[in-house]
Amino acid sequence: MSPKSGVRLPDAVLFACNLNRVRSPMACALLRRLMGDRIFVDSCGLKTLETGDGEAQVDPMALEVMREIGCDLSAHRPKTFDDLDDDSFDVVISLTTEAQHRAVEMARGRAADIEYWPIMDPTLFEGSRESRLQAFRDVRDALAARIAERFGP
């Protein structure tokens, strides 16, 4: 049970955003860190963005700010809704408006809770490297707070 809500924890949670390079992998890692293997957690995006080597990867700044708190995202490979091995999630949490629409389509006719957590895109921030890193930290911390509120301390 989730201590804050008194509601049974879900068995499987999916975080979804646009490219699965920043927000959704961060959220996935944060929930895994909080819950361990008590909940199956995955993440996806609407599409993937390939880099120069032809492989989609996590944003380097997301890697860095997650590493600061002991979460390693280096093994994460971005994927889309269509790339999911299984789509039977109890809770789907969309972090963008676009992903919300796709999550609703995916869950149609299923007993899945769809939640929308609008989280800013830190890749849109301009300025010095440190100010951009701070935007990523702010997103990381906002996700951590929301996850703790939703799933327990």
Side-chain angles (χ1 to χ4, degrees):
M1 291 198 134
S2 174
K4 294 209 176 207
S5 65
V7 176
R8 183 183 168 280
L9 286 173
D11 292 322
V13 175
L14 176 68
F15 289 98
C17 64
N18 291 352
L19 297 175
N20 194 220
R21 294 186 68 227
V22 178
R23 292 166 283 185
S24 56
M26 289 170 85
C28 185
L30 290 164
L31 183 56
R32 280 185 183 142
R33 182 172 130 168
L34 179 69
M35 291 292 156
D37 61 1
R38 290 180 286 180
I39 297 176
F40 174 78
V41 187
D42 204 354
S43 68
C44 70
L46 296 172
K47 60 185 177 180
T48 57
L49 177 68
E50 292 183 5
T51 59
D53 63 5
E55 187 173 323
Q57 297 177 353
V58 172
D59 186 284
M61 289 198 171
L63 283 171
E64 188 170 336
V65 301
M66 292 301 285
R67 194 172 293 128
E68 290 173 355
I69 63 165
C71 287
D72 182 10
L73 293 181
S74 62
H76 177 78
R77 295 296 171 253
K79 60 184 170 285
T80 67
F81 279 90
D82 294 332
D83 297 329
L84 293 170
D85 291 330
D86 188 353
D87 61 3
S88 56
F89 294 92
D90 302 310
V91 177
V92 179
I93 299 171
S94 306
L95 305 172
T96 67
T97 305
E98 299 84 1
Q100 174 71 0
H101 294 298
R102 181 64 174 86
V104 168
E105 288 175 26
M106 181 185 92
R108 193 176 314 277
R110 298 177 189 197
D113 292 331
I114 308 297
E115 299 179 19
Y116 175 51
W117 298 0
I119 301 289
M120 72 164 193
D121 182 355
T123 65
L124 300 177
F125 258 76
E126 295 182 7
S128 69
R129 182 176 191 285
E130 186 53 41
S131 66
R132 289 182 292 134
L133 275 172
Q134 188 57 51
F136 278 79
R137 288 181 190 111
D138 292 345
V139 165
R140 175 199 66 201
D141 296 346
L143 286 166
R146 191 78 188 257
I147 287 167
E149 177 184 317
R150 170 64 171 84
F151 297 99

